[in-house]
Amino acid sequence: MILPPSNFLRVGICALIAVVVLSSATVDLRARDQSKDWIVLKGCRLIPNPANDGDSFHVSTGKKEYLFRLYLVDAPETDEMTPRRLVEQAKYFDITVPQAIEVGRAAKDFTQEKLSQPFTVFTHMSDALGQSRLERFYAFVETKEGDLGEQLVRNGLARSYGFKGAPPGVTSSRIEVEKLQQLEDEAKRDKIGAWGANAGRLNAHAQTPSAFNSFGVDGKTRLAPADSHAVFSPVAKPAASIARSGPVETTGSHAKEKTPLGNIDINTATEKELTTVPGIGYVMAARIIAARPFRSADDLKRVSGIGKKKYAQARPYFQ
């Protein structure tokens, strides 16, 4: 005679099944988010939607609709629905909240213009959260002029900020973060976008769109036909063969080459003098000035954003 399982045994079996199911779901989600394969959507088009802004927008590819959020950049909000975030953005650009909203709307118009022609999306389908009924995913977007995020930052319409990811063909997100920081420094130097809002230069645009590099592996972009997914894994190549292998050279590089070693006083140097030092842009110069006085240039180590590598590069230029 076979006896029925006890209540204790029945509860134990149910609990075990629940753990297995939960573990499987967690593993599946983790595998999806950490996948090294890019899904490449070619021939995408922008779908008009009131919720679209500079860094988040609805996209169609064939008959499918997606909602994407750009990696690594953050454009100001276009309204007052998220006041705390808006205040933080305004503070970052050193502008008022109404000005930040104006910048956000300019960023939205800029993105709409750049996506008026078919474009390409690179995504891992990693969840970018959001309040829409449609699930939102992080992505890099390539237009005919290059990476959309880079264009927004270079024109002062977004900041280098947000969820990190390495673009196709790049081994580390740090490389792209450094490039975005240089583009941000250039926008601030040129006083355009948010950086020029107080000078009436909000709508002034960068004059060198050719400086933006396209995504690619082996110097080419691998694309999928419209309404289809192409999945590929970037193959490791020497840095010289990768189109986006490192930060772009800024226009101030020649001045930096002429900066005498050991000639700059860390406590009296002007912002302009500080930016002639390799590795120090306008944002970093402002941080150095704000951290004064220093006992010696050795204290550069305690400035936020100056790691060992940047310190070793910059220290010889100071007394």
Side-chain angles (χ1 to χ4, degrees), residues 106-174:
K108 177 178 179 177
D109 292 342
F110 182 91
T111 292
Q112 182 174 325
E113 177 190 349
K114 297 302 177 184
L115 301 187
S116 61
Q117 299 295 321
F119 53 91
T120 303
V121 171
F122 297 77
T123 181
H124 288 310
M125 293 297 183
S126 296
D127 190 2
L129 303 178
Q131 301 177 354
S132 172
R133 60 172 180 78
L134 193 64
E135 188 175 7
R136 187 169 68 162
F137 304 107
Y138 283 108
F140 289 102
V141 173
E142 183 181 23
T143 73
K144 62 180 181 180
E145 294 178 1
D147 176 34
L148 177 60
E150 291 179 7
Q151 294 175 66
L152 283 163
V153 171
R154 179 61 183 91
N155 285 282
L157 300 174
R159 56 179 174 166
S160 175
Y161 178 91
F163 191 84
K164 291 180 172 58
V170 177
T171 57
S172 170
S173 62
R174 177 183 58 80

Side-chain angles (χ1 to χ4, degrees), residues 256-264 277-278 313-319:
K256 293 183 178 182
E257 291 174 2
K258 298 177 182 178
T259 303
L261 295 174
N263 202 43
I264 297 178
V277 176
Q313 183 183 23
R315 180 62 183 87
Y317 289 83
F318 294 93
Q319 296 175 3

